[in-house]
Protein backbone atom coordinates (compact mmCIF):
# COMPACT_ATOMS: atom_id res chain seq x y z
CA UNK A 1 0.00 0.00 0.00
CA UNK A 2 1.34 3.44 -0.96
CA UNK A 3 1.78 5.78 2.00
CA UNK A 4 1.45 9.59 1.76
CA UNK A 5 5.24 9.74 2.19
CA UNK A 6 5.76 7.36 -0.75
CA UNK A 7 3.33 9.41 -2.85
CA UNK A 8 5.10 12.75 -2.34
CA UNK A 9 8.54 11.16 -2.79
CA UNK A 10 7.46 9.70 -6.12
CA UNK A 11 5.89 13.01 -7.18
CA UNK A 12 9.04 14.99 -6.36
CA UNK A 13 11.45 12.49 -7.94
CA UNK A 14 9.38 12.08 -11.11
CA UNK A 15 9.51 15.80 -11.85
CA UNK A 16 13.28 15.66 -12.48
CA UNK A 17 13.43 19.16 -11.05
CA UNK A 18 16.56 20.92 -9.83
CA UNK A 19 14.80 21.28 -6.49
CA UNK A 20 14.91 17.53 -5.94
CA UNK A 21 18.72 17.48 -5.98
CA UNK A 22 18.88 20.11 -3.26
CA UNK A 23 16.58 18.07 -1.01
CA UNK A 24 18.92 15.07 -1.01
CA UNK A 25 21.34 16.70 1.44
CA UNK A 26 18.76 17.68 4.09
CA UNK A 27 18.22 15.93 7.45
CA UNK A 28 15.20 13.54 7.41
CA UNK A 29 12.46 15.78 8.93
CA UNK A 30 13.33 18.79 6.78
CA UNK A 31 13.65 16.60 3.71
CA UNK A 32 10.21 15.06 4.38
CA UNK A 33 8.65 18.51 4.84
CA UNK A 34 10.14 20.09 1.72
CA UNK A 35 9.35 17.00 -0.37
CA UNK A 36 5.69 17.16 0.70
CA UNK A 37 5.53 20.91 0.07
CA UNK A 38 7.17 20.55 -3.33
CA UNK A 39 4.70 17.78 -4.23
CA UNK A 40 1.86 20.16 -3.30
CA UNK A 41 3.29 22.80 -5.66
CA UNK A 42 3.59 20.24 -8.44
CA UNK A 43 0.00 19.04 -7.95
CA UNK A 44 -1.54 22.50 -8.31
CA UNK A 45 0.82 23.50 -11.12
CA UNK A 46 -0.03 20.30 -13.03
CA UNK A 47 -3.72 21.25 -12.93
CA UNK A 48 -2.92 24.27 -15.11
CA UNK A 49 -0.47 22.49 -17.40
CA UNK A 50 -2.33 19.21 -17.92
CA UNK A 51 -6.05 20.05 -17.82
CA UNK A 52 -7.07 21.50 -21.18
CA UNK A 53 -10.56 22.68 -20.13
CA UNK A 54 -10.21 25.92 -18.10
CA UNK A 55 -13.54 25.26 -16.34
CA UNK A 56 -12.40 21.83 -15.17
CA UNK A 57 -9.01 23.25 -14.10
CA UNK A 58 -10.73 26.03 -12.11
CA UNK A 59 -12.91 23.45 -10.37
CA UNK A 60 -9.83 21.37 -9.48
CA UNK A 61 -7.98 24.40 -8.07
CA UNK A 62 -11.08 25.31 -6.04
CA UNK A 63 -11.00 21.75 -4.67
CA UNK A 64 -7.35 22.23 -3.67
CA UNK A 65 -8.19 25.51 -1.93
CA UNK A 66 -10.85 23.72 0.11
CA UNK A 67 -8.46 20.83 0.79
CA UNK A 68 -5.89 23.26 2.24
CA UNK A 69 -8.54 24.83 4.48
CA UNK A 70 -9.78 21.41 5.60
CA UNK A 71 -6.24 20.15 6.20
CA UNK A 72 -5.46 23.07 8.51
CA UNK A 73 -8.73 22.27 10.31
CA UNK A 74 -7.36 18.78 10.94
CA UNK A 75 -9.00 16.89 8.07
CA UNK A 76 -6.55 16.35 5.18
CA UNK A 77 -7.80 13.84 2.60
CA UNK A 78 -5.19 14.05 -0.16
CA UNK A 79 -1.90 12.17 0.41
CA UNK A 80 0.09 15.38 -0.25
CA UNK A 81 -1.66 17.23 2.55
CA UNK A 82 -1.50 14.16 4.79
CA UNK A 83 2.27 14.12 4.28
CA UNK A 84 2.67 17.88 4.77
CA UNK A 85 0.48 18.61 7.81
CA UNK A 86 2.66 16.87 10.44
CA UNK A 87 5.36 19.49 9.66
CA UNK A 88 3.19 22.61 9.24
CA UNK A 89 3.49 23.75 12.84
CA UNK A 90 7.16 22.81 13.32
CA UNK A 91 8.29 24.72 10.25
CA UNK A 92 5.69 27.54 10.39
CA UNK A 93 4.08 26.67 7.07
CA UNK A 94 0.93 28.81 6.91
CA UNK A 95 -2.32 28.09 5.08
CA UNK A 96 -2.20 31.58 3.49
CA UNK A 97 1.08 30.62 1.80
CA UNK A 98 -0.43 27.52 0.21
CA UNK A 99 -3.48 29.53 -0.84
CA UNK A 100 -1.15 32.09 -2.48
CA UNK A 101 0.42 29.35 -4.64
CA UNK A 102 -3.08 28.22 -5.69
CA UNK A 103 -4.03 31.85 -6.44
CA UNK A 104 -0.99 32.15 -8.74
CA UNK A 105 -2.07 29.03 -10.61
CA UNK A 106 -5.62 30.42 -10.90
CA UNK A 107 -4.11 33.50 -12.60
CA UNK A 108 -2.74 31.18 -15.29
CA UNK A 109 -6.31 30.20 -16.19
CA UNK A 110 -7.48 33.77 -16.74
CA UNK A 111 -4.37 35.71 -17.78
CA UNK A 112 -2.06 34.89 -20.68
CA UNK A 113 -0.28 38.25 -21.00
CA UNK A 114 1.38 40.67 -18.58
CA UNK A 115 1.44 44.36 -19.38
CA UNK A 116 4.64 45.25 -17.52
CA UNK A 117 7.27 43.94 -15.13
CA UNK A 118 5.44 44.99 -11.91
CA UNK A 119 2.40 42.96 -13.04
CA UNK A 120 4.61 39.97 -13.82
CA UNK A 121 6.34 40.32 -10.43
CA UNK A 122 2.99 40.04 -8.64
CA UNK A 123 2.32 36.74 -10.41
CA UNK A 124 5.87 35.50 -9.78
CA UNK A 125 5.61 36.28 -6.08
CA UNK A 126 2.54 34.04 -5.78
CA UNK A 127 3.95 31.06 -7.67
CA UNK A 128 7.63 31.40 -6.69
CA UNK A 129 8.29 34.05 -4.04
CA UNK A 130 5.89 32.43 -1.57
CA UNK A 131 7.43 29.05 -2.41
CA UNK A 132 10.86 30.47 -1.59
CA UNK A 133 9.63 31.84 1.73
CA UNK A 134 8.09 28.51 2.80
CA UNK A 135 11.24 26.68 1.71
CA UNK A 136 13.49 29.03 3.72
CA UNK A 137 11.50 28.26 6.87
CA UNK A 138 11.74 24.53 6.26
CA UNK A 139 15.50 24.78 5.63
CA UNK A 140 15.96 26.45 9.02
CA UNK A 141 15.59 30.23 8.72
CA UNK A 142 16.54 32.14 11.90
CA UNK A 143 16.84 35.74 10.63
CA UNK A 144 13.89 37.93 9.45
CA UNK A 145 15.89 39.28 6.48
CA UNK A 146 16.13 35.76 5.07
CA UNK A 147 12.48 36.08 3.99
CA UNK A 148 13.38 38.85 1.53
CA UNK A 149 16.35 36.81 0.28
CA UNK A 150 14.08 33.80 -0.31
CA UNK A 151 11.40 35.84 -2.06
CA UNK A 152 13.96 37.51 -4.35
CA UNK A 153 15.61 34.18 -5.16
CA UNK A 154 12.20 32.71 -5.98
CA UNK A 155 11.63 35.58 -8.42
CA UNK A 156 15.02 34.88 -10.04
CA UNK A 157 14.10 31.19 -10.43
CA UNK A 158 10.74 32.04 -11.98
CA UNK A 159 12.25 34.50 -14.47
CA UNK A 160 14.78 31.81 -15.43
CA UNK A 161 11.89 29.38 -16.01
CA UNK A 162 10.08 31.99 -18.11
CA UNK A 163 13.19 32.56 -20.26
CA UNK A 164 13.71 28.80 -20.69
CA UNK A 165 10.06 28.12 -21.55
CA UNK A 166 9.27 31.03 -23.93
CA UNK A 167 8.61 28.69 -26.86
CA UNK A 168 6.76 26.04 -24.87
CA UNK A 169 4.53 28.64 -23.18
CA UNK A 170 3.82 30.36 -26.51
CA UNK A 171 2.60 27.06 -27.94
CA UNK A 172 0.12 26.97 -25.05
CA UNK A 173 -0.97 30.51 -25.94
CA UNK A 174 0.83 32.12 -22.98
CA UNK A 175 3.42 34.90 -23.04
CA UNK A 176 4.99 35.80 -19.71
CA UNK A 177 7.51 38.30 -21.10
CA UNK A 178 6.05 41.73 -20.28
CA UNK A 179 4.24 43.31 -23.21
CA UNK A 180 6.00 46.66 -22.75
CA UNK A 181 9.37 44.85 -23.02
CA UNK A 182 8.25 43.30 -26.32
CA UNK A 183 7.24 46.74 -27.53
CA UNK A 184 10.56 48.26 -26.43
CA UNK A 185 12.51 45.72 -28.49
CA UNK A 186 10.00 45.73 -31.36
CA UNK A 187 9.17 42.02 -31.00
CA UNK A 188 5.61 41.06 -31.93
CA UNK A 189 3.75 38.49 -29.85
CA UNK A 190 3.04 36.61 -33.09
CA UNK A 191 6.79 36.11 -33.62
CA UNK A 192 6.97 34.18 -30.34
CA UNK A 193 3.89 32.16 -31.25
CA UNK A 194 5.41 31.39 -34.68
CA UNK A 195 8.86 30.55 -33.25
CA UNK A 196 10.62 33.29 -35.26
CA UNK A 197 14.18 34.15 -34.21
CA UNK A 198 15.69 37.59 -34.87
CA UNK A 199 18.31 39.98 -33.54
CA UNK A 200 15.44 41.87 -31.90
CA UNK A 201 14.34 38.70 -30.09
CA UNK A 202 17.92 38.02 -28.92
CA UNK A 203 18.17 41.59 -27.58
CA UNK A 204 14.85 41.20 -25.76
CA UNK A 205 16.03 37.94 -24.18
CA UNK A 206 19.40 39.41 -23.17
CA UNK A 207 17.48 42.11 -21.33
CA UNK A 208 15.41 39.45 -19.52
CA UNK A 209 18.52 37.42 -18.66
CA UNK A 210 20.32 40.48 -17.27
CA UNK A 211 17.30 41.18 -15.08
CA UNK A 212 17.39 37.62 -13.75
CA UNK A 213 21.16 37.66 -13.13
CA UNK A 214 20.68 40.91 -11.22
CA UNK A 215 18.08 39.23 -9.00
CA UNK A 216 20.44 36.35 -8.19
CA UNK A 217 23.06 38.89 -7.10
CA UNK A 218 20.47 40.85 -5.12
CA UNK A 219 19.20 37.72 -3.36
CA UNK A 220 22.67 36.55 -2.35
CA UNK A 221 23.48 40.01 -0.98
CA UNK A 222 20.32 39.87 1.16
CA UNK A 223 21.14 36.50 2.78
CA UNK A 224 22.34 37.08 6.36
CA UNK A 225 25.62 35.32 7.21
CA UNK A 226 23.93 33.64 10.17
CA UNK A 227 21.56 31.76 7.84
CA UNK A 228 23.99 30.91 5.06
CA UNK A 229 24.58 27.37 6.33
CA UNK A 230 20.89 26.56 6.86
CA UNK A 231 19.95 27.97 3.46
CA UNK A 232 22.42 25.82 1.51
CA UNK A 233 19.64 23.96 -0.32
CA UNK A 234 18.43 27.27 -1.79
CA UNK A 235 22.00 28.15 -2.72
CA UNK A 236 22.33 24.77 -4.45
CA UNK A 237 19.24 25.58 -6.51
CA UNK A 238 20.67 29.02 -7.26
CA UNK A 239 23.86 27.39 -8.54
CA UNK A 240 21.89 25.03 -10.78
CA UNK A 241 19.52 27.71 -12.08
CA UNK A 242 22.24 30.31 -12.73
CA UNK A 243 24.21 27.69 -14.64
CA UNK A 244 21.09 26.88 -16.68
CA UNK A 245 20.62 30.58 -17.43
CA UNK A 246 24.24 30.84 -18.58
CA UNK A 247 23.65 27.87 -20.91
CA UNK A 248 20.61 29.60 -22.39
CA UNK A 249 22.64 32.77 -22.97
CA UNK A 250 25.44 30.70 -24.56
CA UNK A 251 22.88 29.15 -26.95
CA UNK A 252 21.99 32.69 -28.11
CA UNK A 253 18.51 32.13 -26.65
CA UNK A 254 17.47 29.29 -28.95
CA UNK A 255 14.46 28.64 -26.72
CA UNK A 256 11.58 28.95 -29.15
CA UNK A 257 11.90 25.43 -30.57
CA UNK A 258 13.55 23.51 -27.72
CA UNK A 259 13.83 23.27 -23.94
CA UNK A 260 17.43 23.78 -22.82
CA UNK A 261 18.25 21.71 -19.72
CA UNK A 262 21.14 20.48 -17.61
CA UNK A 263 21.77 16.75 -17.26
CA UNK A 264 20.86 15.10 -13.92
CA UNK A 265 24.56 14.36 -13.34
CA UNK A 266 25.50 18.00 -13.81
CA UNK A 267 22.73 19.12 -11.43
CA UNK A 268 23.96 16.65 -8.82
CA UNK A 269 27.55 17.86 -9.25
CA UNK A 270 26.52 21.52 -8.85
CA UNK A 271 24.48 20.67 -5.75
CA UNK A 272 27.32 18.65 -4.24
CA UNK A 273 29.85 21.39 -4.97
CA UNK A 274 27.74 23.92 -3.07
CA UNK A 275 27.14 21.47 -0.21
CA UNK A 276 30.75 20.37 0.16
CA UNK A 277 32.73 23.41 -0.92
CA UNK A 278 30.23 26.21 -0.38
CA UNK A 279 30.75 27.77 -3.78
CA UNK A 280 29.10 28.13 -7.19
Amino acid sequence: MTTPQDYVQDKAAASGSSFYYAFLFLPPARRAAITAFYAFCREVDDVVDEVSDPGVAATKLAWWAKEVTDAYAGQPTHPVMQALMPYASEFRIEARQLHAVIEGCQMDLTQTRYLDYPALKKYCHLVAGEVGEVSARIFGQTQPQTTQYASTLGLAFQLTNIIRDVGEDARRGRIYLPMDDLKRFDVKAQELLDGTYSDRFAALMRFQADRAFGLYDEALALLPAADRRSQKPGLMMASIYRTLLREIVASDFRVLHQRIALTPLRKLWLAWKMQALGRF
Side-chain angles (χ1 to χ4, degrees), residues 61-260:
L61 289 177
W63 182 91
W64 271 107
K66 182 178 185 301
E67 171 68 7
V68 169
T69 300
D70 290 348
Y72 275 83
Q75 297 176 306
T77 60
H78 194 282
V80 161
M81 296 308 295
Q82 289 170 345
L84 181 61
M85 291 318 296
Y87 302 101
S89 176
E90 180 180 357
F91 297 121
R92 297 177 293 127
I93 306 168
E94 299 173 42
R96 67 164 183 85
Q97 295 173 306
L98 304 190
H99 282 296
V101 176
I102 295 170
E103 184 187 340
C105 291
Q106 287 167 331
M107 283 179 71
D108 272 329
L109 300 181
T110 58
Q111 191 164 349
T112 58
R113 304 285 191 278
Y114 291 86
L115 180 63
D116 53 25
Y117 182 53
L120 180 64
K121 269 178 81 172
K122 182 187 172 189
Y123 164 77
C124 290
H125 179 73
L126 292 172
V127 298
E130 292 279 3
V131 173
E133 291 177 24
V134 171
S135 301
R137 290 182 180 187
I138 293 172
F139 297 154
Q141 172 181 351
T142 65
Q143 305 297 310
Q145 192 182 340
T146 299
T147 299
Q148 189 57 42
Y149 144 81
S151 179
T152 304
L153 191 59
L155 178 56
F157 290 159
Q158 191 63 24
L159 290 188
T160 303
N161 283 338
I162 287 169
I163 291 165
R164 178 194 64 195
D165 296 338
V166 167
E168 200 173 297
D169 288 332
R171 285 188 287 279
R172 288 181 170 141
R174 293 191 204 133
I175 297 174
Y176 291 99
L177 303 178
M179 289 294 107
D180 64 354
D181 287 350
L182 265 71
K183 189 174 180 181
R184 176 178 169 182
F185 289 94
D186 192 28
V187 175
K188 305 286 187 289
Q190 193 61 45
E191 293 176 63
L192 305 184
L193 303 175
D194 292 341
T196 305
Y197 292 104
S198 66
D199 291 343
R200 290 172 289 106
F201 172 74
L204 166 69
M205 297 303 285
R206 266 194 299 277
F207 179 76
Q208 305 300 322
D210 287 344
R211 179 184 276 157
F213 282 128
L215 285 165
Y216 285 111
D217 291 340
E218 185 184 330
L220 296 175
L222 285 166
L223 178 59
D227 271 356
R228 186 172 171 87
R229 179 178 289 274
S230 72
Q231 297 304 314
K232 266 193 175 180
L235 295 174
M236 289 178 200
M237 291 185 280
S239 178
I240 291 169
Y241 265 74
R242 280 215 302 198
T243 301
L244 171 62
L245 187 54
R246 289 189 193 107
E247 290 285 316
I248 293 169
V249 172
S251 79
D252 201 24
F253 303 101
R254 309 299 282 183
V255 290
L256 292 175
H257 68 292
Q258 65 180 348
R259 183 188 177 105
I260 295 171

